[in-house]
């Protein structure tokens, strides 16, 4: 089955809006085994749209429209597509009642324009909109289909998942199951390494790289959801076999969610002393609902004096080893644990630039610390692209990675443990500088 | 002049990538006075692409392509478009030298595939790529033009601004000047209020709403840049007249940049004690290069005990007024100023949800504090949409707004000043609860 996605809206052609609908629908259609041959964006112009629909109708089995279902004169997708599919529209009192009720609820009056939205196909059928006033529509002629959904992403996605996708699945009589793996790292070589697994038909697997991590989305078509789930699980195993515990979780939006959940499960708390990330770690942790169970204190110690005052870093240590150094990262983490009483404490000190780089410590040099039970591990990170936002994001991600491993009771990869007794800080500093 | 934007890439049709190029180019072309009639995305398939280009070529004056200039067999935009415009490609030794040098610099070897990228038009001309290996191309036949640029957004934007846009301006012999106003607020009513000003031909003005603020982009075409600048300035005045000092700055990426710059200009420093924003304010301030000049200390006081321990909030006050209250916000701000020695200190305490709401304090209730010279102002914010991320973002934005006004020596709008003497906290609390 082949499809084209047609986004209708002059505001898209003017670039006033970023078209995220097309990407979403492309992913969804691919998962359904429907090949998207084209995405197009056209304006709110009856004749141009009509030409367009006639061309497209002959090219593929399914046209997926978003936008142009509103009440204004500009909104003419429904009328135009109805013509092209030999259908007509009729006033639907039930929809009209919904629209008037919807307006009343928000203390507004309907205008005559709104009646337009209550017009529904005669031969095709309407698609209920549970999240807005504009119903969608389904047209069909000689096995060629068109589905019309609102342009507002929230309404479109809801209509798609609640009604259009189930309808398409029913037509193909199959079920769809998805599973998302979250993977630490995410350099392009990962994509290269996984390529063979990403060229499968069913389940399909797609990789989306984010800062310091990747998302692998596995989707299986099957007769039942249970069977689809089995297929996904079996295919996921191939990734686990290749990637081991770099796969840190499934179906979560990001690493901070796994860190918070793991801490909760083990009854642990966490804190952070942040210099170059400036609160990014605390912000990510507290973005997780219920974070207050595990996170109580965060320290943004941007100045040297703040490092001394808030988390007890020894100014002599800063003076001796430089503020961007392993010993300072170690003292920041130990100090944050002490000042907050948290079980695990993270620290970050580094150069996010653009200024402040030097030969020994170029911009992008970051030291990460992670303390637990009086022990502290330090890891060095270097981000070669001189991009302040990227350096900060990678640093926060790296620190959360350390937190996850400590919470899991594992030894963090690539990190060094601060030794005991006099000379330990020197040894740690040397270990990194002579790397 | 009419144009179509054609993005080439199967990865776009699969939804693996979000197409941001089309929006960028649509904005740019609109500013040039070129009407974008369609945006399309097609796959890496020679025949389909050829059909497509032939159709599109007859429809408009200019086809703008991105993608498909790479070295692999899939990359065939250049070959295909050359055919359609009656042109051919020839090997360009100069480009080849650049490519080999580029590879050598990164310690890699070119493959035979890469020679493909050194092929340039015979009748048309190449467009130099200063940021990657793939040169662009310009084709022309009977006044119909096609421009080909790489798909990688960074390379495309650079090629566009450095070479393609100047070329198009030269053809129209005119100059282009842009000016961006940043505006506090950003509810849809603002867009409604400004609509008349947004429907102008030259200068054009477009509004982009972000969380708690809007961006108004004014672009003028003129014979010279100076004349364009004048036009923009004159048109900007209309917005200033309507919006007053809600227009907080020009040509900056966000409010935190204006806050940091204003603090620097006045030799002031800032700190923050954050509860529900959990470090978001510190993170935004420190995302500004050179923030260390004005920001040294940040306190993430997520727990009540942290509010007491780090910024000296009186536990009795929390007990008496609730942790989400104006008195607590006031004490947090005063305490942060004291603990950090900063001239201005911000505070946030609120309910970001999803849990924890109650009748008197539903989710979305936030109190913002801002202290300067021993005085403290408190503002209440309510975000009706129960969206944790949105509530946190609006809270941080609101706090930065307070910081800007205090730094400017203005009285923050809609904020109440904590009075003196006994009963001041009670009075403040009442003032908000009886609102």
């Amino acid at each position: 089955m082949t499809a084209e996605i047609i986004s209708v809206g002059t505001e898209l052609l003017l670039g006033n809006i970023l078209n995220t609908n097309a990407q979403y629908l492309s992913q969804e259609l691919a998962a359904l085994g429907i090949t998207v041959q084209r995405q197009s964006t056209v304006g709110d112009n009856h004749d141009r749209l009509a030409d367009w629909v006639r061309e497209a109708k002959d090219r593929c089995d399914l046209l997926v429209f978003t936008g142009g279902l509103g009440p204004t004169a500009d909104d003419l997708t429904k009328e135009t597509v109805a013509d092209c599919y030999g259908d007509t529209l009729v006033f639907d009192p039930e929809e009209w009642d919904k629209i008037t009720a919807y307006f009343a609820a928000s203390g507004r009056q309907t205008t005559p324009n709104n009646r337009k939205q209550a017009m529904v196909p005669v031969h095709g059928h309407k698609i209920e909109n549970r999240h807005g006033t504009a119903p969608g529509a389904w047209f069909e002629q000689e096995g060629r289909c068109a589905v019309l959904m609102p342009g507002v992403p929230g309404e479109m996605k809801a209509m798609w998942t609640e009604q259009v996708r189930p309808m398409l699945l029913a037509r193909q009589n199959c079920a769809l199951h998805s599973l998302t793996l979250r993977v630490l790292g995410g350099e392009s070589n990962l994509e290269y390494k996984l390529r063979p697994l990403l060229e499968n038909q069913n389940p399909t697997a797609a990789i989306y790289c984010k800062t310091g991590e990747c998302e692998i989305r596995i989707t299986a078509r099957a007769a039942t959801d249970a069977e689809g789930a089995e297929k996904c699980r079996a295919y996921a195993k191939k990734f686990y076999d290749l990637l081991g515990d770099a796969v840190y979780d499934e179906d979560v939006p990001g690493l901070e969610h796994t860190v918070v959940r793991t801490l909760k499960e083990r009854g642990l708390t966490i804190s952070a002393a942040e210099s170059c990330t400036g609160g990014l770690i605390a912000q990510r942790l507290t973005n997780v609902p219920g974070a207050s169970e595990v996170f109580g204190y965060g320290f943004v110690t941007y100045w040297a004096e703040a490092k001394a005052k808030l988390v007890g870093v020894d100014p002599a240590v800063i003076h001796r080893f430089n503020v961007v150094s392993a010993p300072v990262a170690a003292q920041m983490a130990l100090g944050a644990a002490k000042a907050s009483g948290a079980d695990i404490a993270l620290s970050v000190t580094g150069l996010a630039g653009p200024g402040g780089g030097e030969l020994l410590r170029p911009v992008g040099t970051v030291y990460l610390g992670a303390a637990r039970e009086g022990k502290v591990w330090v890891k060095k990170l270097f981000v070669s692209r001189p991009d302040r936002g990227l350096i900060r994001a990678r640093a926060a991600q790296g620190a959360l990675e350390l937190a996850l491993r400590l919470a899991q009771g594992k030894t963090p990869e690539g990190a060094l443990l601060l030794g005991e007794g006099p000379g330990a800080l020197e040894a740690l500093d040397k270990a990194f500088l002579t790397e």
Side-chain angles (χ1 to χ4, degrees), chain A residues 190-380:
Chain A
L190 181 67
E191 196 166 347
Y192 183 79
K193 188 176 167 190
L194 297 175
R195 182 155 303 150
L197 288 176
L198 300 175
E199 283 161 0
N200 200 50
Q201 281 310 311
N202 184 25
T204 59
I207 187 166
Y208 307 99
C209 289
K210 321 219 183 296
T211 303
E213 66 174 278
C214 285
E215 184 184 309
I216 296 170
R217 191 178 179 209
I218 302 169
T219 309
R221 270 166 291 129
T224 66
D225 182 70
E227 199 189 305
E230 258 177 55
K231 277 191 178 179
C232 283
R233 180 55 55 202
Y235 205 71
K237 189 176 177 308
K238 299 176 188 290
F239 287 97
Y240 278 100
D241 292 345
L242 257 168
L243 301 171
D245 75 351
V247 183
Y248 69 83
D249 210 341
E250 298 182 354
D251 298 321
V252 292
L255 181 54
E256 61 272 31
H257 291 260
T258 306
V259 168
V260 168
R261 201 200 65 237
T262 308
L263 292 165
K264 278 187 189 174
E265 285 167 359
R266 314 205 174 202
L268 299 169
T269 59
I270 188 166
S271 178
E274 308 184 56
S275 191
C276 75
T277 47
L280 191 49
I281 294 170
Q283 186 268 324
R284 282 184 65 179
L285 288 169
T286 57
N287 201 27
V288 180
S292 59
E293 241 183 87
V294 302
F295 181 92
Y297 291 77
F299 310 88
V300 183
T301 57
Y302 218 54
W303 290 348
E305 64 167 77
K307 293 176 178 70
K309 197 167 160 191
L310 300 187
V311 293
V313 173
D314 176 358
V317 167
I318 292 176
H319 179 77
R320 174 153 180 207
F321 297 103
N322 185 297
V323 69
V324 176
S325 66
V328 170
Q331 287 203 336
M332 285 171 73
L334 290 168
K338 189 151 170 257
S340 64
D343 301 303
I344 293 174
L346 304 172
S347 69
V348 182
T349 178
L351 290 159
E358 29 155 313
L359 194 61
L360 195 60
R361 290 178 185 73
V363 166
T365 306
V366 178
Y367 287 93
L368 308 170
R372 181 173 182 181
E373 288 155 16
K375 290 201 179 75
V376 61
W377 286 261
V378 176
K379 186 170 181 172
K380 186 179 181 178

Side-chain angles (χ1 to χ4, degrees), chain A residues 27-355:
Chain A
Q27 290 176 10
E28 290 288 318
L29 288 161
L32 285 166
I34 297 170
T35 307
V36 175
Q37 290 180 329
R38 288 185 191 177
Q39 301 164 351
S40 348
T41 303
V42 291
D44 306 304
N45 172 305
H46 181 283
D47 299 352
R48 273 201 218 123
L49 183 56
D51 294 348
W52 186 253
V53 174
R54 289 199 188 85
E55 290 169 26
K57 190 186 169 197
D58 299 335
R59 281 193 303 251
C60 65
D61 310 312
L62 173 67
L63 299 184
V64 180
F65 293 85
T66 61
L69 300 183
T72 74
D74 289 358
D75 297 303
L76 31 74
T77 309
K78 206 164 43 179
E79 297 76 350
T80 310
V81 178
D83 291 348
C84 300
Y85 280 75
D87 204 338
T88 48
L89 302 174
V90 60
F91 180 74
D92 181 321
E94 190 195 338
E95 281 302 321
W96 180 241
D97 292 345
K98 261 195 242 158
I99 293 167
T100 45
Y102 188 95
F103 272 75
S106 52
R108 292 174 300 156
Q109 281 284 323
T110 55
T111 67
N113 284 346
N114 294 106
R115 290 183 69 85
K116 219 162 154 303
Q117 298 189 284
M119 301 295 285
V120 305
V122 172
H123 304 302
H125 59 81
K126 68 180 175 183
I127 303 170
E128 193 194 345
N129 184 345
R130 301 182 189 138
H131 308 270
T133 56
W138 177 272
F139 298 101
E140 199 160 346
Q141 189 178 44
E142 294 145 14
R144 307 271 183 171
C145 309
V147 59
L148 280 57
M149 295 181 285
V152 180
E155 290 183 31
M156 183 280 290
K157 287 180 184 176
M159 188 179 284
W160 170 264
T161 50
E162 293 168 8
Q163 291 169 93
V164 180
R165 187 173 62 184
M167 199 162 71
L168 290 169
L169 284 167
R171 290 174 75 97
Q172 302 178 297
N173 57 59
C174 73
L176 206 62
H177 189 92
S178 276
L179 173 64
T180 300
L181 306 180
R182 306 289 307 202
V183 184
L184 296 174
E187 302 65 29
S188 54
N189 62 3
L190 181 67
E191 196 166 347
Y192 183 79
K193 188 176 167 190
L194 297 175
R195 182 155 303 150
L197 288 176
L198 300 175
E199 283 161 0
N200 200 50
Q201 281 310 311
N202 184 25
T204 59
I207 187 166
Y208 307 99
C209 289
K210 321 219 183 296
T211 303
E213 66 174 278
C214 285
E215 184 184 309
I216 296 170
R217 191 178 179 209
I218 302 169
T219 309
R221 270 166 291 129
T224 66
D225 182 70
E227 199 189 305
E230 258 177 55
K231 277 191 178 179
C232 283
R233 180 55 55 202
Y235 205 71
K237 189 176 177 308
K238 299 176 188 290
F239 287 97
Y240 278 100
D241 292 345
L242 257 168
L243 301 171
D245 75 351
V247 183
Y248 69 83
D249 210 341
E250 298 182 354
D251 298 321
V252 292
L255 181 54
E256 61 272 31
H257 291 260
T258 306
V259 168
V260 168
R261 201 200 65 237
T262 308
L263 292 165
K264 278 187 189 174
E265 285 167 359
R266 314 205 174 202
L268 299 169
T269 59
I270 188 166
S271 178
E274 308 184 56
S275 191
C276 75
T277 47
L280 191 49
I281 294 170
Q283 186 268 324
R284 282 184 65 179
L285 288 169
T286 57
N287 201 27
V288 180
S292 59
E293 241 183 87
V294 302
F295 181 92
Y297 291 77
F299 310 88
V300 183
T301 57
Y302 218 54
W303 290 348
E305 64 167 77
K307 293 176 178 70
K309 197 167 160 191
L310 300 187
V311 293
V313 173
D314 176 358
V317 167
I318 292 176
H319 179 77
R320 174 153 180 207
F321 297 103
N322 185 297
V323 69
V324 176
S325 66
V328 170
Q331 287 203 336
M332 285 171 73
L334 290 168
K338 189 151 170 257
S340 64
D343 301 303
I344 293 174
L346 304 172
S347 69
V348 182
T349 178
L351 290 159

